[in-house]
Amino acid sequence: MSTLEIFILALLQGLTEFLPISSSAHLILPSQILGWKDQGLGFDVAVHVGTLLAVMIYFRKEVGVMAVAWLGTVGVGPEKGRSSFDGKLAWWILLATIPAGLFGLLGKDFIEENLRSALVIALTTLLFGFLLGFADIKAGNRTEHKPMDKLGLKGAMLIGLAQAVALIPGTSRSGITMTIGLMLGLSRDNAARFSFLLSIPAIAMAGSYLTLKLVLSTESVDWFAMGLGSLIAFFSAYACIHYFLILLEKLGMMPFVIYRLILGVGLLWFILG
């Protein structure tokens, strides 16, 4: 991989992992359109590590409080035996991650062999872009929003099921989880925050799976590409989360909906034209 390819692909991973526009789509498209070679397992592991560190450090206070509260629910630590919303939220996130894990184990080979194409990305980009726009309009017209503690395990699991669907390229993990969060009555900010917290175990699982594949493979490791890719993915992801949350309440999801529609139509024109 050239330095330019490393920079562009890591930047795309960092920016699109948390924006509702599909990171997998943007990482597949360079090879589909520009003819770039697959970046390899080592690079995939590196950018996953970068984005995981970014979201964990950004939400370090929330993650720390949830971890202590969760340990308390299982009888360990200073919060032993206590019941709190943070403990419930930790359980919701862990349980809501299960559908994506199961779907990934059972369907990953089928997805990689049949759904990683520009046409599928174009169609899912358009479909889930329309759904995000619909949910955002509903959220904007709503006078009151459901607080996150009223989401409940059922709501969390619905968002978790949506996250499983996001394994289909072009769907966008953050996009579809925010869409369901908005449809369930959460504010834009809470829908985004729950989506980001839910991404932590999801990215950790994906990174662990890729790491295992890398260890078991005979593929050579480009340490320069891994190091630079991880660094770029970390800083771009951290900045993306920060500014996305600042701008979300002012702009809503519509800029991303418009982007998805333009991207989807452009891809269809490229494929069919």
Side-chain angles (χ1 to χ4, degrees):
M1 294 175 66
S2 68
T3 303
L4 177 62
E5 288 177 280
I6 295 169
F7 180 83
I8 291 176
L9 291 173
L11 185 65
L12 282 174
Q13 174 69 31
L15 292 177
T16 60
E17 180 67 50
F18 301 108
L19 293 179
I21 55 176
S22 179
S23 61
S24 60
H26 286 78
L27 290 175
I28 291 171
L29 290 177
S31 63
Q32 293 278 330
I33 296 175
L34 301 176
W36 289 0
K37 294 181 180 179
D38 184 86
Q39 58 265 29
L41 282 171
F43 188 79
D44 284 343
V45 170
V47 293
H48 275 80
V49 169
T51 53
L52 178 62
L53 287 176
V55 69
M56 289 190 68
I57 291 174
Y58 191 89
F59 290 103
R60 60 192 178 277
K61 292 181 180 179
E62 291 91 334
V63 170
V65 170
M66 286 166 54
V68 172
W70 180 82
L71 287 172
T73 66
V74 295
V76 178
E79 298 293 322
K80 180 180 178 180
R82 297 181 186 177
S83 177
S84 68
F85 169 65
D86 292 305
K88 290 180 181 178
L89 181 59
W91 274 113
W92 294 351
I93 288 171
L94 290 174
L95 293 173
T97 304
I98 294 174
L102 291 176
F103 191 48
L105 286 173
L106 299 175
K108 190 167 184 63
D109 290 341
F110 176 83
I111 291 171
E112 289 185 349
E113 292 171 8
N114 299 281
L115 301 180
R116 291 174 67 88
S117 68
L119 178 60
V120 170
I121 291 171
L123 295 176
T124 52
T125 295
L126 290 170
L127 172 61
F128 293 106
F130 278 118
L131 288 177
L132 178 61
F134 174 76
D136 189 59
I137 291 172
K138 284 192 67 176
N141 292 334
R142 197 176 290 126
T143 55
E144 292 185 4
H145 296 96
K146 182 186 296 183
M148 198 181 293
D149 61 351
K150 299 298 182 183
L151 179 63
L153 178 59
K154 180 180 178 181
M157 292 304 294
L158 287 173
I159 297 175
L161 288 170
Q163 180 172 246
V165 176
L167 290 170
I168 301 172
T171 303
S172 171
R173 191 211 61 80
S174 59
I176 194 169
T177 52
M178 290 181 202
T179 296
I180 301 302
L182 292 173
M183 288 183 173
L184 291 173
L186 295 179
S187 67
R188 290 168 177 144
D189 183 71
N190 277 338
R193 288 179 180 275
F194 188 85
S195 172
F196 292 152
L197 291 172
L198 186 61
S199 75
I200 294 174
I203 297 173
M205 281 196 311
S208 299
Y209 171 76
L210 292 171
T211 300
L212 179 62
K213 285 185 67 176
L214 179 63
V215 170
L216 296 176
S217 74
T218 57
E219 181 180 307
S220 60
V221 176
D222 185 341
W223 293 106
F224 172 76
M226 288 184 67
L228 182 59
S230 182
L231 198 64
I232 294 170
F234 169 79
F235 283 110
S236 57
Y238 191 94
C240 176
I241 295 170
H242 180 70
Y243 289 108
F244 178 76
L245 290 173
I246 290 175
L247 297 174
L248 184 58
E249 287 301 318
K250 297 179 180 179
L251 302 178
M253 299 288 185
M254 278 304 155
F256 306 103
V257 173
I258 293 169
Y259 173 81
R260 289 184 69 122
L261 298 183
I262 293 173
L263 176 63
V265 171
L267 284 172
L268 286 177
W269 176 80
F270 175 81
I271 297 165
L272 305 175

